[in-house]
Amino acid sequence: MTPQRFPARIALKTVNEPGTLAQVAQVIAEHDGNIDNIRMTRQSPDFTSLVIDLEVYDLKHLTSIIAQLRAKDVVAQAERVNA
């Protein structure tokens, strides 16, 4: 039986450079998260805000994904947002 997934929303502030979105998506995929939706807003020439709706197994899973995202050089901020 496949474990149930739950919706979660995270907000990221990322450095605006080639490959940033790919790195973010790769972290989520490698940690078995599922991206439902992404909204990107250019904050300035240097930074982009991302709001990502994803599916996770539980709060521990979500916390782990956020920690892995924060470890990336291209991610300036990462936090959970209450949808």
Side-chain angles (χ1 to χ4, degrees):
M1 185 172 134
T2 306
Q4 187 175 359
R5 289 180 185 263
F6 299 94
R9 177 171 289 169
I10 58 175
L12 307 179
K13 184 176 179 183
T14 60
V15 177
N16 186 23
E17 65 181 42
T20 295
L21 182 58
Q23 287 187 50
V24 168
Q26 182 178 7
V27 167
I28 293 169
E30 284 176 352
H31 293 86
D32 204 25
N34 184 48
I35 298 173
D36 273 344
N37 189 31
I38 297 181
R39 284 187 307 286
M40 298 176 70
T41 309
R42 185 84 167 266
Q43 293 298 111
S44 68
D46 298 329
F47 290 98
T48 301
S49 288
L50 279 68
V51 176
I52 304 174
D53 293 329
L54 49 111
E55 293 178 338
V56 294
Y57 296 120
D58 53 31
L59 186 57
K60 184 178 175 188
H61 186 207
L62 176 61
T63 303
S64 170
I65 289 173
I66 290 172
Q68 295 296 322
L69 287 166
R70 286 180 177 150
K72 289 288 183 187
D73 289 340
V74 296
V75 176
Q77 274 182 293
E79 60 192 14
R80 181 181 183 192
V81 178
N82 291 320

XYZ file of all heavy atoms in Angstrom:
647
model
N 0.845 -1.191 0.000
C 0.000 0.000 0.000
C 0.888 1.251 0.000
O 1.859 1.337 0.749
C -0.880 -0.024 1.251
C -1.881 1.094 1.288
S -3.015 0.850 2.669
C -2.999 2.484 3.318
N 0.543 2.199 -0.819
C 1.313 3.447 -0.906
C 0.936 4.357 0.253
O -0.246 4.566 0.508
C 0.993 4.164 -2.242
O 1.215 3.253 -3.312
C 1.856 5.388 -2.432
N 1.931 4.903 0.965
C 1.607 5.833 2.053
C 0.876 7.066 1.516
O 1.135 7.506 0.397
C 2.968 6.237 2.614
C 3.934 5.258 2.074
C 3.356 4.703 0.813
N -0.029 7.590 2.314
C -0.788 8.762 1.894
C 0.091 10.000 1.908
O 0.946 10.156 2.773
C -1.974 8.960 2.841
C -2.917 10.056 2.377
C -4.151 10.147 3.268
O -4.313 9.390 4.217
N -5.012 11.092 2.953
N -0.118 10.862 0.928
C 0.604 12.125 0.877
C -0.341 13.253 1.276
O -1.542 13.167 1.063
C 1.119 12.392 -0.540
C 2.260 11.485 -0.957
C 2.681 11.839 -2.379
N 3.679 10.962 -2.901
C 4.988 11.230 -2.896
N 5.429 12.348 -2.379
N 5.842 10.382 -3.402
N 0.253 14.306 1.833
C -0.529 15.451 2.287
C -0.024 16.712 1.606
O 1.173 16.838 1.354
C -0.381 15.602 3.807
C -0.884 14.416 4.566
C -0.010 13.407 4.937
C -2.226 14.295 4.887
C -0.471 12.295 5.624
C -2.699 13.185 5.575
C -1.821 12.177 5.950
N -0.928 17.662 1.325
C -0.491 18.903 0.675
C 0.263 19.798 1.651
O -0.049 19.837 2.841
C -1.804 19.561 0.232
C -2.844 19.000 1.139
C -2.379 17.618 1.532
N 1.261 20.486 1.131
C 2.027 21.460 1.920
C 2.447 22.572 0.977
O 2.538 22.375 -0.231
C 3.248 20.806 2.548
N 2.709 23.734 1.535
C 3.161 24.868 0.725
C 4.423 25.431 1.354
O 4.498 25.606 2.562
C 2.064 25.934 0.667
C 2.478 27.185 -0.112
C 1.309 28.110 -0.319
N 0.389 27.516 -1.285
C -0.838 27.980 -1.532
N -1.307 29.009 -0.880
N -1.578 27.394 -2.441
N 5.414 25.679 0.505
C 6.655 26.291 0.975
C 6.934 27.548 0.156
O 6.532 27.640 -1.004
C 7.855 25.321 0.919
C 8.091 24.793 -0.498
C 7.657 24.176 1.910
C 9.338 23.927 -0.621
N 7.601 28.489 0.785
C 8.005 29.723 0.110
C 9.524 29.783 0.125
O 10.148 29.551 1.150
C 7.420 30.934 0.821
N 10.094 30.069 -1.030
C 11.543 30.160 -1.162
C 11.918 31.522 -1.731
O 11.186 32.093 -2.538
C 12.077 29.098 -2.125
C 11.714 27.638 -1.904
C 12.330 26.789 -2.994
C 12.176 27.179 -0.549
N 13.068 32.006 -1.319
C 13.689 33.160 -1.971
C 14.968 32.607 -2.567
O 15.810 32.070 -1.844
C 13.976 34.264 -0.965
C 14.544 35.521 -1.599
C 14.712 36.609 -0.558
C 15.296 37.856 -1.184
N 15.538 38.895 -0.158
N 15.077 32.688 -3.881
C 16.212 32.063 -4.556
C 17.023 33.092 -5.346
O 16.504 34.116 -5.771
C 15.743 30.960 -5.526
O 14.887 31.538 -6.515
C 14.993 29.854 -4.799
N 18.276 32.748 -5.538
C 19.158 33.562 -6.365
C 18.733 33.364 -7.821
O 18.466 32.246 -8.262
C 20.625 33.130 -6.166
C 21.542 33.920 -7.082
C 21.030 33.281 -4.708
N 18.641 34.467 -8.540
C 18.197 34.398 -9.924
C 19.390 34.097 -10.834
O 20.099 34.991 -11.266
C 17.545 35.727 -10.314
C 16.936 35.660 -11.693
O 16.615 34.592 -12.182
N 16.793 36.802 -12.318
N 19.618 32.792 -11.072
C 20.702 32.387 -11.970
C 20.297 31.086 -12.665
O 19.416 30.366 -12.175
C 22.014 32.225 -11.208
C 22.022 31.122 -10.179
C 23.356 31.034 -9.435
O 23.930 32.064 -9.074
O 23.810 29.909 -9.214
N 20.928 30.780 -13.797
C 20.564 29.575 -14.534
C 20.728 28.322 -13.665
O 21.701 28.176 -12.930
C 21.561 29.548 -15.701
C 21.961 30.970 -15.889
C 21.948 31.571 -14.507
N 19.723 27.451 -13.727
C 19.794 26.180 -13.023
C 19.182 26.188 -11.634
O 19.075 25.145 -10.995
N 18.770 27.360 -11.140
C 18.207 27.436 -9.792
C 16.955 26.584 -9.652
O 16.838 25.782 -8.725
C 17.914 28.905 -9.408
O 19.136 29.622 -9.342
C 17.213 28.989 -8.054
N 16.010 26.750 -10.567
C 14.766 25.980 -10.486
C 15.044 24.479 -10.585
O 14.452 23.674 -9.866
C 13.792 26.421 -11.580
C 12.432 25.712 -11.578
C 11.713 25.903 -10.245
C 11.577 26.227 -12.723
N 15.985 24.108 -11.433
C 16.350 22.693 -11.570
C 16.896 22.138 -10.259
O 16.561 21.012 -9.864
C 17.380 22.521 -12.691
N 17.729 22.914 -9.568
C 18.278 22.466 -8.284
C 17.177 22.292 -7.240
O 17.183 21.320 -6.486
C 19.315 23.459 -7.762
C 20.624 23.427 -8.516
C 21.661 24.318 -7.843
O 21.876 24.228 -6.647
N 22.285 25.180 -8.632
N 16.238 23.227 -7.202
C 15.127 23.142 -6.251
C 14.283 21.900 -6.546
O 13.967 21.112 -5.647
C 14.270 24.429 -6.310
C 12.952 24.255 -5.556
C 15.061 25.618 -5.743
N 13.932 21.705 -7.807
C 13.111 20.555 -8.193
C 13.848 19.242 -7.912
O 13.239 18.255 -7.480
C 12.739 20.650 -9.676
N 15.158 19.238 -8.117
C 15.948 18.030 -7.888
C 15.945 17.642 -6.409
O 15.796 16.475 -6.073
C 17.379 18.240 -8.378
C 18.242 17.004 -8.223
C 19.650 17.214 -8.758
O 20.036 18.315 -9.127
N 20.415 16.143 -8.799
N 16.096 18.622 -5.527
C 16.071 18.342 -4.081
C 14.733 17.725 -3.697
O 14.677 16.713 -2.994
C 16.323 19.636 -3.257
C 15.978 19.426 -1.787
C 17.767 20.073 -3.405
N 13.652 18.321 -4.176
C 12.318 17.819 -3.833
C 12.128 16.405 -4.381
O 11.652 15.511 -3.672
C 11.233 18.786 -4.340
C 11.333 20.104 -3.557
C 9.838 18.173 -4.199
C 10.504 21.245 -4.113
N 12.553 16.175 -5.614
C 12.410 14.846 -6.220
C 13.269 13.801 -5.515
O 12.804 12.689 -5.245
C 12.771 14.906 -7.703
N 14.504 14.161 -5.200
C 15.405 13.209 -4.541
C 14.917 12.807 -3.153
O 15.264 11.750 -2.654
C 16.814 13.810 -4.419
C 17.590 13.799 -5.705
C 18.950 14.483 -5.577
O 19.239 15.098 -4.529
O 19.707 14.410 -6.563
N 14.129 13.668 -2.530
C 13.613 13.378 -1.192
C 12.152 12.940 -1.242
O 11.428 13.035 -0.253
C 13.844 14.577 -0.272
C 15.300 14.796 -0.026
N 16.092 15.539 -0.876
C 16.129 14.317 0.928
C 17.334 15.514 -0.435
N 17.387 14.775 0.657
N 11.730 12.469 -2.405
C 10.423 11.842 -2.585
C 9.243 12.768 -2.316
O 8.187 12.328 -1.877
C 10.333 10.569 -1.707
C 9.317 9.581 -2.259
O 9.055 9.626 -3.475
O 8.778 8.787 -1.473
N 9.445 14.057 -2.576
C 8.326 14.992 -2.536
C 7.735 15.074 -3.931
O 8.387 14.725 -4.917
N 6.493 15.510 -4.028
C 5.838 15.634 -5.324
C 5.360 17.074 -5.506
O 4.588 17.577 -4.692
C 4.648 14.679 -5.414
C 4.002 14.727 -6.784
O 4.681 14.664 -7.798
N 2.686 14.856 -6.821
N 5.843 17.734 -6.552
C 5.459 19.130 -6.821
C 4.119 19.156 -7.546
O 3.952 18.527 -8.583
C 6.535 19.835 -7.670
C 7.861 19.881 -6.922
C 6.068 21.243 -8.047
C 9.030 20.402 -7.745
N 3.164 19.902 -6.974
C 1.854 20.084 -7.601
C 1.789 21.365 -8.414
O 1.160 21.418 -9.457
C 0.756 20.159 -6.529
C 0.239 18.796 -6.141
O 0.480 17.827 -6.875
O -0.417 18.713 -5.083
N 2.422 22.419 -7.884
C 2.292 23.719 -8.521
C 3.454 24.609 -8.079
O 3.915 24.499 -6.952
C 0.955 24.359 -8.096
C 0.644 25.623 -8.875
O 1.030 25.764 -10.024
N -0.052 26.542 -8.239
N 3.899 25.467 -8.974
C 4.940 26.450 -8.633
C 4.517 27.809 -9.172
O 4.083 27.920 -10.316
C 6.306 26.082 -9.270
C 6.828 24.769 -8.731
C 7.316 27.192 -9.016
C 8.177 24.367 -9.296
N 4.673 28.826 -8.337
C 4.482 30.211 -8.785
C 5.790 30.941 -8.549
O 6.332 30.902 -7.449
C 3.356 30.889 -7.998
C 1.980 30.445 -8.456
C 0.866 31.229 -7.800
N 0.929 31.261 -6.336
C 0.617 30.237 -5.546
N 0.265 29.075 -6.064
N 0.685 30.360 -4.228
N 6.270 31.596 -9.585
C 7.539 32.325 -9.480
C 7.274 33.812 -9.679
O 6.544 34.192 -10.583
C 8.517 31.852 -10.556
C 8.891 30.400 -10.434
S 9.954 29.850 -11.784
C 11.461 30.724 -11.402
N 7.889 34.630 -8.827
C 7.765 36.079 -8.935
C 9.155 36.678 -8.824
O 9.872 36.408 -7.867
C 6.886 36.644 -7.793
O 5.678 35.912 -7.746
C 6.588 38.106 -8.024
N 9.504 37.477 -9.803
C 10.809 38.134 -9.797
C 10.779 39.257 -8.779
O 10.032 40.211 -8.933
C 11.092 38.660 -11.214
C 12.446 39.263 -11.417
C 13.471 38.165 -11.723
N 14.698 38.744 -12.210
C 14.988 38.899 -13.492
N 14.140 38.533 -14.427
N 16.143 39.417 -13.841
N 11.585 39.153 -7.720
C 11.604 40.160 -6.666
C 12.495 41.332 -7.037
O 12.196 42.469 -6.711
C 12.127 39.549 -5.364
C 11.224 38.516 -4.757
C 9.877 39.079 -4.373
O 8.878 38.756 -4.986
N 9.829 39.944 -3.402
N 13.610 41.020 -7.671
C 14.607 42.017 -8.043
C 15.460 41.365 -9.124
O 15.254 40.200 -9.432
C 15.460 42.380 -6.821
O 16.255 41.279 -6.445
N 16.426 42.089 -9.685
C 17.285 41.437 -10.679
C 18.016 40.216 -10.124
O 18.340 39.299 -10.863
C 18.275 42.539 -11.061
C 17.555 43.817 -10.775
C 16.687 43.522 -9.568
N 18.250 40.191 -8.816
C 19.050 39.124 -8.221
C 18.253 37.987 -7.589
O 18.786 36.904 -7.395
C 19.981 39.706 -7.155
C 20.971 40.691 -7.736
O 21.352 40.522 -8.912
O 21.351 41.640 -7.032
N 17.005 38.252 -7.214
C 16.244 37.247 -6.471
C 14.867 36.971 -7.069
O 14.239 37.860 -7.619
C 16.054 37.679 -5.006
C 17.328 37.646 -4.224
C 18.058 38.801 -4.024
C 17.803 36.457 -3.686
C 19.244 38.778 -3.304
C 18.991 36.425 -2.964
C 19.711 37.587 -2.775
N 14.433 35.732 -6.922
C 13.105 35.300 -7.350
C 12.427 34.631 -6.167
O 13.053 33.875 -5.428
C 13.220 34.289 -8.521
O 13.905 34.926 -9.597
C 11.858 33.832 -8.997
N 11.140 34.927 -5.985
C 10.354 34.245 -4.952
C 9.611 33.093 -5.595
O 9.011 33.244 -6.662
C 9.337 35.200 -4.331
O 9.983 36.136 -3.526
N 9.656 31.945 -4.949
C 8.918 30.772 -5.413
C 7.944 30.355 -4.324
O 8.304 30.320 -3.150
C 9.856 29.585 -5.663
C 10.631 29.505 -6.971
C 11.672 30.582 -7.046
C 11.279 28.153 -7.097
N 6.724 30.061 -4.719
C 5.765 29.425 -3.817
C 5.473 28.074 -4.443
O 5.025 28.000 -5.588
C 4.480 30.259 -3.653
C 3.469 29.517 -2.786
C 4.806 31.614 -3.051
N 5.785 27.017 -3.713
C 5.655 25.665 -4.249
C 4.635 24.886 -3.437
O 4.745 24.786 -2.213
C 7.010 24.927 -4.215
C 8.074 25.728 -4.972
C 6.867 23.515 -4.785
C 9.477 25.154 -4.884
N 3.631 24.363 -4.135
C 2.683 23.437 -3.512
C 3.209 22.043 -3.767
O 3.462 21.672 -4.920
C 1.292 23.594 -4.132
C 0.673 24.956 -3.807
O 0.960 25.502 -2.737
O -0.094 25.454 -4.639
N 3.396 21.282 -2.694
C 3.906 19.939 -2.882
C 3.176 18.955 -1.979
O 2.376 19.342 -1.134
C 5.418 19.881 -2.645
C 5.999 20.499 -1.396
C 6.506 19.408 -0.482
C 7.149 21.372 -1.784
N 3.447 17.685 -2.218
C 2.849 16.622 -1.418
C 3.965 15.916 -0.667
O 4.987 15.567 -1.247
C 2.119 15.626 -2.318
C 0.901 16.213 -2.981
C 0.225 15.221 -3.908
O 0.886 14.269 -4.353
O -0.962 15.404 -4.188
N 3.735 15.738 0.639
C 4.705 15.076 1.514
C 3.963 14.044 2.364
O 2.740 14.060 2.455
C 5.430 16.095 2.421
C 6.299 17.029 1.593
C 4.443 16.898 3.256
N 4.723 13.164 2.999
C 4.111 12.110 3.824
C 3.695 12.615 5.199
O 2.685 12.196 5.746
C 5.069 10.922 3.976
C 5.355 10.246 2.665
C 6.654 10.174 2.166
C 4.338 9.697 1.903
C 6.926 9.567 0.950
C 4.595 9.095 0.682
C 5.888 9.024 0.216
O 6.144 8.439 -0.989
N 4.498 13.505 5.774
C 4.198 14.021 7.118
C 5.068 15.246 7.375
O 5.851 15.656 6.512
C 4.418 12.946 8.197
C 5.797 12.308 8.134
O 6.761 12.994 7.718
O 5.920 11.129 8.497
N 4.929 15.814 8.563
C 5.662 17.033 8.901
C 7.172 16.801 8.917
O 7.949 17.652 8.487
C 5.190 17.560 10.263
C 5.755 18.906 10.693
C 5.461 19.986 9.660
C 5.192 19.305 12.041
N 7.598 15.634 9.378
C 9.030 15.309 9.401
C 9.600 15.302 7.978
O 10.703 15.799 7.732
C 9.230 13.945 10.070
C 10.670 13.551 10.228
C 10.792 12.212 10.934
C 12.242 11.777 10.986
N 12.385 10.413 11.487
N 8.840 14.752 7.046
C 9.244 14.712 5.638
C 9.384 16.139 5.091
O 10.379 16.480 4.445
C 8.200 13.911 4.849
C 8.559 13.660 3.431
N 7.609 13.480 2.457
C 9.749 13.551 2.792
C 8.203 13.275 1.296
N 9.500 13.310 1.475
N 8.386 16.988 5.368
C 8.413 18.374 4.912
C 9.614 19.121 5.513
O 10.334 19.826 4.806
C 7.106 19.075 5.303
C 7.025 20.565 4.969
C 7.150 20.805 3.473
C 5.736 21.156 5.507
N 9.844 18.940 6.804
C 10.955 19.601 7.491
C 12.290 19.194 6.880
O 13.186 20.015 6.705
C 10.911 19.269 9.000
O 9.638 19.671 9.510
C 12.003 20.000 9.751
N 12.402 17.924 6.539
C 13.624 17.416 5.919
C 13.863 18.066 4.549
O 14.983 18.476 4.229
C 13.520 15.892 5.780
O 14.565 15.402 4.990
N 12.816 18.173 3.743
C 12.935 18.798 2.417
C 13.357 20.264 2.566
O 14.251 20.739 1.868
C 11.622 18.668 1.618
C 11.423 17.209 1.184
C 11.621 19.595 0.400
C 10.083 16.918 0.530
N 12.721 20.981 3.503
C 13.070 22.391 3.708
C 14.534 22.520 4.137
O 15.262 23.394 3.649
C 12.121 23.042 4.735
C 10.713 23.177 4.125
C 12.642 24.412 5.172
C 9.646 23.630 5.103
N 14.991 21.646 5.011
C 16.392 21.687 5.461
C 17.341 21.454 4.296
O 18.379 22.122 4.178
C 16.613 20.637 6.547
N 17.011 20.520 3.415
C 17.855 20.238 2.249
C 17.868 21.422 1.281
O 18.898 21.725 0.674
C 17.368 18.977 1.525
C 17.499 17.709 2.345
C 18.941 17.376 2.664
O 19.830 17.560 1.847
N 19.178 16.900 3.881
N 16.729 22.090 1.137
C 16.668 23.268 0.268
C 17.529 24.400 0.835
O 18.256 25.062 0.104
C 15.218 23.741 0.096
C 14.347 22.850 -0.784
C 12.880 23.212 -0.616
C 14.760 22.942 -2.250
N 17.456 24.603 2.155
C 18.247 25.655 2.795
C 19.746 25.419 2.629
O 20.534 26.365 2.658
C 17.909 25.735 4.285
C 16.566 26.372 4.558
C 16.284 26.431 6.045
N 15.027 27.111 6.310
C 14.252 26.843 7.356
N 14.620 25.927 8.237
N 13.121 27.498 7.524
N 20.131 24.173 2.471
C 21.547 23.831 2.319
C 22.096 24.216 0.940
O 23.310 24.274 0.750
C 21.748 22.332 2.560
N 21.220 24.485 -0.004
C 21.648 24.860 -1.356
C 22.078 26.320 -1.403
O 21.416 27.192 -0.843
C 20.489 24.663 -2.359
C 20.163 23.209 -2.641
C 21.248 22.607 -3.478
C 20.961 21.187 -3.866
N 22.084 20.577 -4.541
N 23.189 26.593 -2.089
C 23.690 27.961 -2.214
C 22.700 28.898 -2.903
O 22.691 30.093 -2.632
C 25.013 27.985 -2.981
C 26.152 27.386 -2.167
O 26.033 27.297 -0.926
O 27.155 26.991 -2.774
N 21.881 28.367 -3.812
C 20.958 29.213 -4.571
C 19.709 29.581 -3.775
O 18.925 30.418 -4.197
C 20.539 28.571 -5.918
C 21.744 28.422 -6.834
C 19.829 27.251 -5.697
N 19.512 28.950 -2.617
C 18.315 29.222 -1.801
C 18.713 30.156 -0.649
O 19.488 29.796 0.223
C 17.687 27.924 -1.258
C 16.505 28.234 -0.348
C 17.268 27.016 -2.404
N 18.172 31.378 -0.681
C 18.462 32.366 0.362
C 17.540 32.174 1.571
O 17.938 32.416 2.702
C 18.292 33.772 -0.197
N 16.304 31.746 1.317
C 15.328 31.506 2.385
C 14.416 30.376 1.973
O 14.106 30.220 0.790
C 14.421 32.736 2.573
C 14.948 33.798 3.487
C 13.927 34.923 3.608
O 13.679 35.614 2.622
N 13.373 35.112 4.776
N 13.968 29.591 2.956
C 12.995 28.522 2.699
C 12.165 28.349 3.963
O 12.720 28.210 5.053
C 13.688 27.223 2.338
N 10.847 28.375 3.808
C 9.982 28.190 4.972
C 8.629 27.638 4.567
O 8.211 27.771 3.425
C 9.810 29.501 5.728
C 9.191 30.611 4.886
C 9.282 31.990 5.511
O 10.062 32.154 6.475
O 8.587 32.893 5.046
N 7.978 27.020 5.531
C 6.634 26.510 5.301
C 5.651 27.671 5.352
O 5.820 28.614 6.126
C 6.279 25.499 6.403
C 4.913 24.917 6.227
C 4.584 23.948 7.341
N 3.276 23.363 7.083
C 2.607 22.662 7.973
N 3.124 22.435 9.157
N 1.427 22.187 7.672
N 4.648 27.611 4.510
C 3.604 28.621 4.491
C 2.289 27.892 4.754
O 2.044 26.831 4.167
C 3.525 29.306 3.106
C 2.407 30.315 3.063
C 4.846 29.959 2.759
N 1.466 28.445 5.600
C 0.150 27.846 5.800
C -0.750 28.263 4.659
O -0.988 29.440 4.447
C -0.439 28.261 7.148
C 0.342 27.640 8.293
O 0.748 26.493 8.221
N 0.575 28.418 9.340
N -1.196 27.279 3.907
C -1.971 27.542 2.679
C -3.287 28.234 2.986
O -3.920 27.981 3.974
C -2.234 26.234 1.946
